[in-house]
Amino acid sequence: MNKPVIGILPLYDMEMESLWMLPYYLNRVEKAGGIPVVLPLDLAIEDIYELNKHIDGYIFPGGEDVNPELYNEAKAPYCGKINEARDNIEAKVFRVAYQENKPILGICRGSQIINALLGGSLYQDLYEEFEGIEHHQEKPYNVGFHCVKTLEDTPLRSFGEITKVNSVHHQGIKRLASVLRPMALASDGLIEAYYEPSKKFLWAFQWHPEMLENESFSEKIFKEFINSCNK
């Protein structure tokens, strides 16, 4: 069986005007049996369709805040830095991947922008708009910080009922898009994972499973994603 090629949307340093990538994403894909490829920052839509012929699945990684315009809100003073270059390429690539039913994995910012692109909304800052537990841990980020509970009758439940996750975010899912279903919740009710039942594979996580060390739950997530890319 050929290894699936996984397109990872790039991280972009606006000050340095440079693309970069954290090794966690690359290592997880390789360990799960895929070949990671970091995608360009800007492509014409026809080139995205052409590239899509050679990509078996996509990862939308963490990063800066999503532009609130994507969910029809004005930017609040407590909303963080916005990376419009990433918003633009991720929106274009997601629409092609979604239309072509390619497997998609969203992580942190990735889960947020996917929800926004499908019609959902976000808390622009949890400390200002949501009363709950602490969701931004101090370093190190590769250890569990708070627990989440997986929901019954969802794909994630087969991995276990409770797992401890890391948490490095100040925004979160406010209104989940109508086509999506929650898979895991924090103790304060914040959606920590979701999926779309009608798609081959569209899973997204508010935490960072790529960073968690010695943790079988995260390994199962990436293995499930890579397996879906082989089908």
Side-chain angles (χ1 to χ4, degrees):
M1 182 182 295
N2 293 329
K3 291 184 176 181
V5 176
I6 307 303
I8 305 177
L9 276 295
L11 308 180
Y12 177 58
D13 187 316
M14 293 180 285
E15 294 181 3
M16 298 293 292
E17 297 184 348
S18 62
L19 303 185
W20 63 290
M21 180 51 57
L22 289 164
Y24 303 105
Y25 297 103
L26 308 176
N27 295 341
R28 281 291 189 181
V29 168
E30 289 179 321
K31 187 175 181 180
I35 301 173
V37 176
V38 181
L39 300 180
L41 183 67
D42 188 24
L43 286 169
I45 191 66
E46 59 268 22
D47 293 333
I48 294 175
Y49 276 105
E50 182 62 31
L51 182 62
N52 184 65
K53 297 176 184 177
H54 309 283
I55 300 293
D56 300 298
Y58 293 88
I59 293 178
F60 289 75
E64 300 89 350
D65 291 354
V66 174
N67 193 332
E69 289 182 1
L70 290 180
Y71 47 95
N72 301 312
E73 288 188 14
K75 184 177 184 292
Y78 40 77
C79 183
K81 183 185 295 184
I82 290 171
N83 192 323
E84 291 188 0
R86 284 193 61 183
D87 286 345
N88 292 337
I89 189 62
E90 290 178 9
K92 290 194 292 185
V93 170
F94 176 76
R95 290 185 180 110
V96 172
Y98 187 82
Q99 175 186 328
E100 299 293 322
N101 199 18
K102 290 294 180 77
I104 295 170
L105 176 62
I107 295 173
C108 198
R109 168 196 158 89
S111 74
Q112 295 167 2
I113 194 168
I114 289 170
N115 180 58
L117 291 171
L118 290 174
S121 67
L122 306 175
Y123 292 109
Q124 292 193 40
D125 184 84
L126 294 174
Y127 303 102
E128 296 287 342
E129 300 180 355
F130 181 80
E131 293 186 6
I133 64 173
E134 177 62 56
H135 282 278
H136 197 294
Q137 72 189 78
E138 300 295 328
K139 292 182 179 180
Y141 300 136
N142 60 352
V143 297
F145 180 64
H146 69 74
C147 289
V148 300
K149 182 175 182 178
T150 59
L151 301 182
E152 293 183 7
D153 301 320
T154 67
L156 206 59
R157 187 57 174 266
S158 64
F159 297 172
E161 182 177 354
I162 302 289
T163 188
K164 198 170 187 179
V165 303
N166 51 5
S167 191
V168 194
H169 63 103
H170 82 105
Q171 297 195 322
I173 303 296
K174 184 177 183 179
R175 184 184 71 255
L176 193 63
S178 61
V179 295
L180 303 174
R181 298 291 179 269
M183 283 201 296
L185 302 177
S187 60
D188 57 12
L190 193 72
I191 294 173
E192 292 277 346
Y194 65 75
Y195 76 115
E196 182 170 343
S198 67
K199 291 297 183 180
K200 180 189 293 187
F201 186 101
L202 197 170
W203 291 15
F205 300 86
Q206 185 57 73
W207 73 88
H208 285 269
E210 81 286 357
M211 288 187 187
L212 284 172
E213 294 184 349
N214 303 318
E215 203 272 322
S216 63
F217 203 95
S218 297
E219 293 178 3
K220 292 176 183 177
I221 289 170
F222 277 88
K223 200 68 178 177
E224 191 75 15
F225 169 58
I226 295 300
N227 288 344
S228 74
C229 296
N230 277 320
K231 295 178 181 178

